[in-house]
Amino acid sequence: MADQEEDFSSLSLTDRFVHKNWKVRKEAYEAAAKEFDNAQTESDPVVKQFVQDPGLWKGAVTDSNAAAHQEALNALCSFLQIAGKAGCTRTRSTAIAPLAEKGLIASKPSAKQKAQEAILLYIEMDIADPVIDELLPLLSHKLPKIIAAVLNTFTAIYHAFGVKTVEPKPVLKTLPKVYGHADKNVRAEAQNLTVELYRWLREGMKPLFWNELKPVQQQDIEKAFEKVKNEPPPKPERLLKSQQAAAAAAAAAPQKDAEEVGEAEGDEDVGEVDLEPEYMAVDVLPKIPKDLLERLGSSKWKDRKEALDELHSAVNVPAIEDGHFHEIMQALAKCMKDANVGVVVTAANCIELLAKGLKKSFARYRSTVMPAMIERLKEKKLSVTDAIAAAMDAVCASTTISDNLEEILAAMANKNPQIKIESTKFLVRALKSTREAPSVPETKSIAETCTKLLTDSQDTQRNAAAEVLGILWKIMGDRIMNTHLDGLDDIRKAKIKEYMESAEVKSKYKPKAAAPPAPKATPAGLGKKSTVKKPTGSATPAAKKSTPARAAPVSKEPTSPPPQPKSLARPGGLPKPGAGGTAPRSLKPPTAGGRKLATPASAASPKRPSQASPVEEDSVPPPKPLSRGLTGRTLAKPSASNIESTQPAQPAQPQPSSAPTPLPSAERLELDELRAEATRLRGTNESLRSDNLKLSSQVNELQDQNAQLIEDHTRDVLSIKAKETQLVRARSDAETAEQSVGTLQREVERLKRELGRMGRASSPRASDISAMDIFPSAGDPGSAGAGAGAAAAPAGNTLGDPRSRATVMSPVFRGEGKENTFPGNVTGASPGASFKNRTLSPTADESLGLRRPDSRGSPKKAVAAPPPPPPPPPSSATRRPLSQNSGGSSGQQQPNGTGLNADGEMGSSGSTNGFKTSGGESSSDGTGAPGGGQGVHSWQRAAEVTQNLKARIEMMKKRQAAQGGGGGGR
């Protein structure tokens, strides 16, 4: 074993890769992984060796031993990370298919993960298309687990890189095939892949495969789509190597402002993925009926409908070859005005098919059909407006939004509300689907039109206009749209912002890059090199600070000698004014302690001689050393006397020097301090700018909060006012109810008083009761007995006599305190001669148990004789109660019907009635008559009647007292 181990270590790495012993191969894979991890570049000898021999990886990724296979996958991942694009392109064709067949279905999950990571690295290091081409044939493999593993890998690829990096069309076309596979795991992985693609592509991917699926599969996929429909748009998790380099370069470049960076990021999100299927164009003109135009001009709508149906069948192809369709388009535009809605709908469908089939070639027919379709939008039937809307969308897709914008804006200003609403909705759909953002002037026109529609009377129109502004905001960005939204109130702006956040667009406005600035014109003095060397001395540092633009021109003097070569003004210098229009070319001499310092002749700038009086050079004091550098120089303009005193009589010729004099240490320190100060000021400026932005954002937030508080306060105030109004109404209702209650109480009191008054009126008066003489005294004439006649009473007091009333009162009362004064039948009166009141109490004689005598007055005979003829009814003046004649044998019926005797007195045969006769006399009972034996008995009965009357009176008093009416006599 020791010899074998020595032999293994002596083998090269490539030999151990293909060794028959799996342990040797495993150790070789581990050693290779370490070598790749330690390599610095792809030009390392170890890396080059495996790049030049890609067959080594084919055997490694298909190793039969599980442990060695996993280490081989680790080594491949390390190799791809260091080998770069060269390693991927050389090994891709030989390693990917074996890697998928062996690694993706490995028994260990870690091996599966490493195999999938290797495939992702092949895409990341180069591009995705070759890898997809290598994996697609494996979808037809005979083993279902390999197909399921490849579908899972496709899902991971699109999840990591997105559909912009990896073309989705080839995979989408294979979905119907895998959905028809018998294995359920394959179908499940196909559904997961479909859902992942739906996250990126949404509804745009359906035309490529949806119609080839079964309805049951479509329903299951739709349910899976519902779970991810509300998720935000996904972003790639990994970038290609080239994309990573571009991102790093962009990060190293100077930063743009925040808005431009945000717009750039938005542009990355809005990726254009071409999902349009590729079809071969078909020539449809031969299929169109020759007599189409004639049939469309028929007066019968059925003929026109049949002709359009045939045209629809002819042009119903995915792609149409370009041809001459002008006459057909004109006829279809004319059909838009047809009275039959079926003809209009079919014509709109034909326009839609032609626009989709001709694509960009349809642009020349747009102006023919678009105005007619917009005009027909006034139709209120939903089927018509839907067909026309679909046709308009197809026309807009075959052209651009700029081509249709003029007609759309004109329709949005139409007087017909239906046309306005439908045109606004069409603009919404056009902005969502366009891939070319409108220009800034077009944006302004759209914003102005929609801003006017925000105040429309119809809520649908206002919402559509707000949606247009929101989508336009999403496309154009904040910088352009803020100018159009500033004048709107917060409520409308918030609604527009909601539409902006929820909008899904396919384009983003990209401002044109600014042209590079033109090179500045070089001054004439800078175009040539100066032949005069820079003077040395203290003026050299100051001269370097002057700029050519600020150097003043030198006036020419006719008396001066030929000019000497001029030296250039140095950056940072200031022009020095001179006397007589001459601009001096030197700075003002420095001063120290308020005293002017003289400038040495060697440091003076060359100057033309002037006409002033010459000054001897010996009179110029020697220069003094500079003590304060640049800070010691005054910034005040020099006066003429100072200039004349410092100017020499003869122009001092500058002595050439071989090299410029370096800056003094003091000035260098001062320059460093100024630079540091400038840097500090720039930092302070940046911090202030950032603080200003923060404060501005806080101000905006506070303004929004203030607007919200104002709105809440207004709502609370309105609520309080509404409550106060309700309270006032409730108080008014309460007062009205109190008044009604008071009125009802007063009415109740009045009714009670009226009821008491009626009760008192119906009861007998106390005076009447006390006046009743039930038991008359001995002196009363009515008490005479034994045949004595009673004294005659006054003729007018017959009914008012209480004693007469007492004699007719019945001992049994059937009424409520009322008296029935008159009997029901009187002796000598016929039955027809009764009084009006038929409900009377029995007579006094009947009450006393006496039988009614006959007409002759005989008490012994009970048989009544036939009544005499009735007398005439008495008048109201003479109607009086009559008494019965219970008399003796001699008593006869008198002609007047009163039963009186000849003396004018009633018989003393025991009569108990005290009724007054018409003669004004009353008769009382006598005891001397033959019937006097009944007198005592009649008086007993009278006493009983009296007692009954008293008891009745007491009962009535108690009842009145109980009713509250009062029982006292008046």
Side-chain angles (χ1 to χ4, degrees), residues 219-294:
Q219 294 177 2
D220 294 341
I221 297 172
E222 285 290 352
K223 292 180 182 179
F225 286 168
E226 291 295 332
K227 299 178 182 179
V228 299
K229 185 172 290 185
N230 296 327
E231 292 183 0
K235 294 183 179 180
E237 296 179 357
R238 300 177 69 165
L239 299 175
L240 300 180
K241 196 73 172 179
S242 58
Q243 295 174 346
Q244 294 175 10
Q255 293 293 331
K256 302 179 182 179
D257 58 353
E259 186 173 351
E260 291 179 355
V261 172
E263 291 178 358
E265 294 177 356
D267 294 342
E268 294 178 0
D269 295 341
V270 184
E272 296 184 8
V273 180
D274 185 15
L275 296 176
E276 188 68 24
E278 298 177 359
Y279 300 104
M280 184 175 293
V282 179
D283 187 9
V284 299
L285 287 176
K287 300 179 182 180
I288 298 176
K290 302 298 182 182
D291 57 347
L292 175 66
L293 300 179
E294 297 178 2

Side-chain angles (χ1 to χ4, degrees), residues 615-876:
V615 181
E616 298 293 336
E617 293 182 1
D618 298 337
S619 63
V620 179
K624 295 182 179 181
L626 298 177
S627 60
R628 296 183 60 189
L630 294 175
T631 57
R633 300 178 182 178
T634 181
L635 297 178
K637 294 183 179 181
S639 60
S641 59
N642 293 336
I643 296 173
E644 291 177 358
S645 61
T646 57
Q647 289 179 353
Q650 297 295 333
Q653 297 294 336
Q655 298 183 2
S657 62
S658 60
T661 304
L663 288 173
S665 59
E667 294 183 359
R668 186 180 299 108
L669 292 175
E670 184 179 2
L671 183 60
D672 294 339
E673 291 176 359
L674 292 175
R675 287 173 179 172
E677 183 69 17
T679 304
R680 187 183 63 80
L681 291 176
R682 290 193 191 97
T684 305
N685 191 16
E686 291 295 333
S687 62
L688 292 176
R689 186 179 293 108
S690 62
D691 294 342
N692 188 16
L693 292 175
K694 291 180 182 179
L695 292 176
S696 300
S697 62
Q698 292 178 1
V699 167
N700 293 333
E701 292 177 0
L702 292 176
Q703 288 177 352
D704 295 340
Q705 294 177 3
N706 187 24
Q708 185 65 30
L709 291 175
I710 291 173
E711 183 179 357
D712 296 341
H713 175 69
T714 304
R715 190 183 302 109
D716 295 341
V717 169
L718 293 177
S719 177
I720 292 172
K721 289 184 178 180
K723 297 296 183 183
E724 290 178 352
T725 304
Q726 293 177 1
L727 182 60
V728 170
R729 291 179 180 175
R731 289 176 179 173
S732 176
D733 294 342
E735 292 176 357
T736 304
E738 290 177 357
Q739 293 177 0
S740 301
V741 169
T743 303
L744 292 176
Q745 288 179 351
R746 289 193 296 271
E747 183 67 17
V748 168
E749 295 294 334
R750 187 185 66 78
L751 291 176
K752 285 183 179 179
R753 290 194 299 271
E754 187 68 20
L755 184 61
R757 189 180 300 111
M758 291 175 65
R760 288 192 298 271
S762 62
S763 64
R765 295 183 180 183
S767 59
D768 295 340
I769 297 175
S770 62
M772 287 182 180
D773 192 3
I774 304 299
F775 303 100
S777 61
D780 191 355
S783 62
N797 197 17
T798 302
L799 298 177
D801 190 358
R803 287 172 297 184
S804 300
R805 181 181 296 180
T807 58
V808 299
M809 295 295 290
S810 175
V812 180
F813 286 86
R814 294 182 176 86
E816 295 295 332
K818 296 182 180 180
E819 297 178 354
N820 295 329
T821 306
F822 304 104
N825 195 2
V826 183
T827 304
S830 63
S834 62
F835 293 95
K836 293 182 179 181
N837 189 1
R838 297 294 183 180
T839 312
L840 300 177
S841 302
T843 61
D845 294 330
E846 293 173 351
S847 303
L848 296 175
L850 299 178
R851 301 186 65 180
R852 183 178 298 170
D854 56 359
S855 61
R856 294 180 178 88
S858 176
K860 297 180 179 180
K861 296 181 179 180
V863 177
S875 63
S876 60

Side-chain angles (χ1 to χ4, degrees), residues 424 428 453-454 458-468 495 499:
T424 310
V428 170
L453 294 178
L454 289 176
Q458 296 190 10
D459 183 64
T460 308
Q461 180 65 65
R462 296 195 299 271
N463 293 337
E467 187 174 3
V468 171
K495 193 170 187 179
Y499 283 116

